[in-house]
Amino acid sequence: MMIYNRMIIYITGASGSGKTTLLKSLSVKAYDLDDIYENNWKKHKRIDTVQKGVIKDINVLLSEHKNIVFVGLQGKDNLPFTPDVTYILIRKDYEQYYRDKLVRDLNLLCKYKNEFEEVFKKKPFDEFRNNFWSNDIVNMKSFDEFKKYVEKMNNSIKKDFPTAEILTASEIIKKIKTLF
């Protein structure tokens, strides 16, 4: 086992795999990159200033915590930090995973109803999908298509993070406990 003065762990995985839920179960400080990005979008509204804000916020968190976990779906080139360890979160209960993902996506549509109405009313047709790229309610994948999509997504993540371990939530929790 390697000994670090500071350890940054990155947990990634397909949309809806349970990254945000997992971070609530960890015994180390953990942050969702989606929240950090969303907070910066509210403040800055432009991609260049959003990215600078995210980097600033992450640097503050890194200065405050010796060991830290981030969860997200950002690829290696879009991460504003270099993780020491990366885990790819998977779920093996595909039927429940599919149901959970559909419910989550429906809730997101309801939460951001006004924003999505503006997209439908004003954006060109060919841009609609840009706003719903991971929403399976909108994309209405069949169960079999969903399983293939998740496997393709996990393979893509593995290419981006070739040394990452592919683990379930309980396996990740056990691994992190051994690190600290």
Side-chain angles (χ1 to χ4, degrees):
M1 179 172 76
M2 292 184 180
I3 304 295
Y4 294 93
N5 290 333
R6 173 178 73 192
M7 183 177 286
I8 303 171
I9 297 174
Y10 180 50
I11 301 170
T12 188
S15 179
S17 61
K19 298 178 295 291
T20 303
T21 301
L22 173 63
L23 75 80
K24 297 171 188 169
S25 303
L26 299 175
S27 57
V28 64
K29 285 292 184 182
Y31 298 90
D32 191 330
L33 291 175
D34 285 349
D35 294 340
I36 296 170
Y37 273 93
E38 186 175 340
N39 289 338
N40 277 282
W41 273 110
K42 288 176 185 172
K43 288 189 263 182
H44 302 291
K45 309 276 192 235
R46 290 186 17 235
I47 188 68
D48 59 329
T49 52
V50 166
Q51 195 65 22
K52 287 177 186 172
V54 167
I55 291 167
K56 180 181 174 193
D57 290 351
I58 286 176
N59 285 333
V60 167
L61 293 172
L62 292 174
S63 72
E64 293 174 349
H65 306 291
K66 181 178 176 185
N67 300 310
I68 193 166
V69 175
F70 292 101
V71 301
L73 188 50
Q74 286 72 10
K76 185 175 78 171
D77 294 338
N78 296 318
L79 276 183
F81 56 86
T82 302
D84 298 300
V85 177
T86 302
Y87 298 120
I88 301 172
L89 176 61
I90 59 161
R91 287 183 62 172
K92 296 178 180 178
D93 59 334
Y94 276 101
E95 185 174 318
Q96 189 60 49
Y97 180 4
Y98 184 59
R99 291 174 186 274
D100 292 346
K101 177 84 167 80
L102 290 171
V103 169
R104 186 188 91 161
D105 291 352
L106 176 61
N107 288 333
L108 285 172
L109 287 175
C110 294
K111 181 178 179 181
Y112 299 107
K113 180 181 183 287
N114 293 337
E115 290 90 338
F116 289 135
E117 282 181 1
E118 287 300 306
V119 168
F120 290 142
K121 289 177 183 177
K122 297 181 179 176
K123 293 278 184 183
F125 284 118
D126 60 350
E127 293 181 20
F128 278 13
R129 293 286 180 209
N130 295 339
N131 296 276
F132 304 103
W133 64 273
S134 74
N135 193 300
D136 287 314
I137 289 285
V138 175
N139 293 324
M140 289 309 291
K141 293 176 176 76
S142 71
F143 178 60
D144 288 335
E145 289 172 323
F146 175 75
K147 283 174 40 177
K148 288 177 188 171
Y149 167 78
V150 168
E151 289 166 6
K152 181 180 174 186
M153 184 69 124
N154 286 335
N155 287 334
S156 174
I157 294 168
K158 184 66 177 168
K159 285 180 186 167
D160 218 15
F161 299 98
T163 62
E165 288 187 73
I166 300 172
L167 303 168
T168 63
S170 61
E171 292 168 331
I172 290 173
I173 291 169
K174 287 178 190 172
K175 282 272 188 179
I176 289 176
K177 284 181 181 177
T178 66
L179 295 174
F180 306 116

